[in-house]
Amino acid sequence: MLSLIAQRIVQSALILFGVAVITFALLYALPADPAVMIAGRSATAKTVASIRHELGLDQALPLQFWHYFTGLLQGDLGRSYAQKTEVATLILARLPATLILMAAGIAVEVTLGLALGLVAALNRGGFIDRAVMTASFVGVSAPQFVVALVLLYIFAVTLGWFPMSGFGTPAHVVLPALTLGVLGAGWYARMVRSAMIDVLNQDYIRTANAKGLSSRRVVLRHALPNALLPIIAMIGIDIGQFMSGVVVVEAVYGWPGIGQLAWQAIQQVDIPIIMGVTLVSALAIVLGNLLADILAPLVDPRIRSR
């Protein structure tokens, strides 16, 4: 197990380095000039050149990346061009809101997905199965802003149960988490249904039924744990996606997360912030998958012997 974790850590470091190289190259290949964005349209060429020199943008690209990479090794994500603040400080300020939304969104989508997928699998081919699969298809296909606006109209405007937007109380997180949960639950429901149907056809399930065990115990004790492996992997991926922020959801609900910070940076061509958010998101995906690799043997002991 320890050798597996060490191998994953080395692979993760290489992945993060690759993400840093590719993102850096792509961002600096853009035709937009951060110095022009900062100076303004009416700025003189001398002013733009002065800003470019101040930011170090007049240096050779490999030298710029070297300065950036050596800073990363020291925990320095750079300094925002527009806000004149350390990128790490800006990200850390948005991190609590992002973590709250991530945890709540994953909890809602996993809970709904497991319940719906389990019900569909146990009623395979029936009306309930078709209804759940249709609902899951609609859920994964619905645009985020449409779901968000519908929930806002019903639960905030009409019923007045939750605030329209903002951050700070448990009531503020309900609608954003429900929006993400409805959209993500469809994927989990389809995955759980497929995995459960496959597990329920295994020999050991038929043996458990032949021994006279109750259907509830067979499903919850023997079948469901073995169907959870793909779900654990999906949660690891979702951690990274939610860490990067769901821009549309954050925009509709006025949620001050990392996604909103990234969107503002894109509009201002604030490359250090874009790079910082990208690396934090990549790190979250890597850690999420590493966590999934560690949890998988705990759920299915057979993996330990492979």
Side-chain angles (χ1 to χ4, degrees), residues 15-30 34 57 61 64-70 72 76-81 87-88 90-91 244 258 261-263 265-266 269-283:
I15 290 172
L16 292 175
F17 177 75
V19 170
V21 173
I22 294 173
T23 308
F24 188 91
L26 290 176
L27 287 176
Y28 278 89
L30 294 176
L57 298 176
L61 190 59
Q64 293 184 47
F65 178 76
W66 173 251
H67 291 320
Y68 179 75
F69 182 69
T70 53
L72 286 180
D76 182 10
L77 295 176
R79 187 177 178 85
S80 168
Y81 293 161
V87 173
L90 295 173
I91 292 178
S244 63
I258 292 178
L261 176 66
W263 175 244
I266 292 172
V269 198
D270 201 334
I271 292 178
I273 292 182
I274 299 174
M275 286 287 297
V277 172
T278 302
L279 287 176
V280 169
S281 303
L283 178 61

Side-chain angles (χ1 to χ4, degrees), residues 20-262:
V21 173
I22 294 173
T23 308
F24 188 91
L26 290 176
L27 287 176
Y28 278 89
L30 294 176
D33 189 344
V36 175
M37 298 289 292
I38 295 173
R41 297 181 179 179
S42 59
T44 63
K46 183 178 180 180
T47 301
V48 173
S50 176
I51 294 176
R52 186 177 291 110
H53 177 72
E54 180 183 351
L55 298 177
L57 298 176
D58 55 349
Q59 299 176 351
L61 190 59
L63 183 58
Q64 293 184 47
F65 178 76
W66 173 251
H67 291 320
Y68 179 75
F69 182 69
T70 53
L72 286 180
L73 295 179
Q74 302 173 18
D76 182 10
L77 295 176
R79 187 177 178 85
S80 168
Y81 293 161
Q83 302 188 42
K84 306 297 183 182
T85 306
E86 296 297 324
V87 173
T89 302
L90 295 173
I91 292 178
L92 287 175
R94 304 287 186 116
L95 193 58
T98 297
L99 291 177
I100 291 173
L101 183 59
M102 178 190 73
I106 290 178
V108 172
E109 68 180 6
V110 171
T111 302
L112 289 177
L114 281 175
L116 293 175
L118 186 58
V119 169
L122 296 178
N123 295 274
R124 181 183 180 186
F127 171 77
I128 295 179
D129 183 20
R130 292 193 294 271
V132 170
M133 289 299 97
T134 300
S136 67
F137 178 77
V138 173
V140 300
S141 303
Q144 288 182 345
F145 73 91
V146 172
V147 176
L149 292 177
V150 169
L151 292 179
L152 273 176
Y153 178 76
I154 295 175
F155 296 105
V157 177
T158 304
L159 299 177
W161 291 354
F162 302 104
M164 291 283 292
S165 62
F167 168 76
T169 68
H172 286 100
V173 76
V174 174
L175 292 183
L178 190 58
T179 301
L180 296 174
V182 169
L183 297 172
W187 293 110
Y188 282 91
R190 299 172 74 88
M191 184 69 71
V192 171
R193 176 186 179 274
S194 177
M196 280 295 298
I197 289 175
D198 181 63
V199 170
L200 289 173
N201 290 325
Q202 298 296 319
D203 291 338
Y204 67 89
I205 297 297
R206 287 192 287 269
T207 301
N209 287 321
K211 288 181 177 180
L213 297 178
S214 64
S215 299
R216 179 178 180 181
R217 184 173 182 180
V218 170
V219 170
L220 298 181
R221 183 70 180 274
H222 297 280
L224 186 58
N226 291 287
L228 290 180
L229 291 179
I231 305 305
I232 294 175
M234 288 182 65
I235 293 175
I237 296 174
D238 280 346
I239 290 175
Q241 292 179 340
F242 285 8
M243 277 296 293
S244 63
V246 186
V247 177
V248 175
V249 174
E250 291 185 357
V252 172
Y253 291 104
W255 193 264
I258 292 178
Q260 188 181 87
L261 176 66

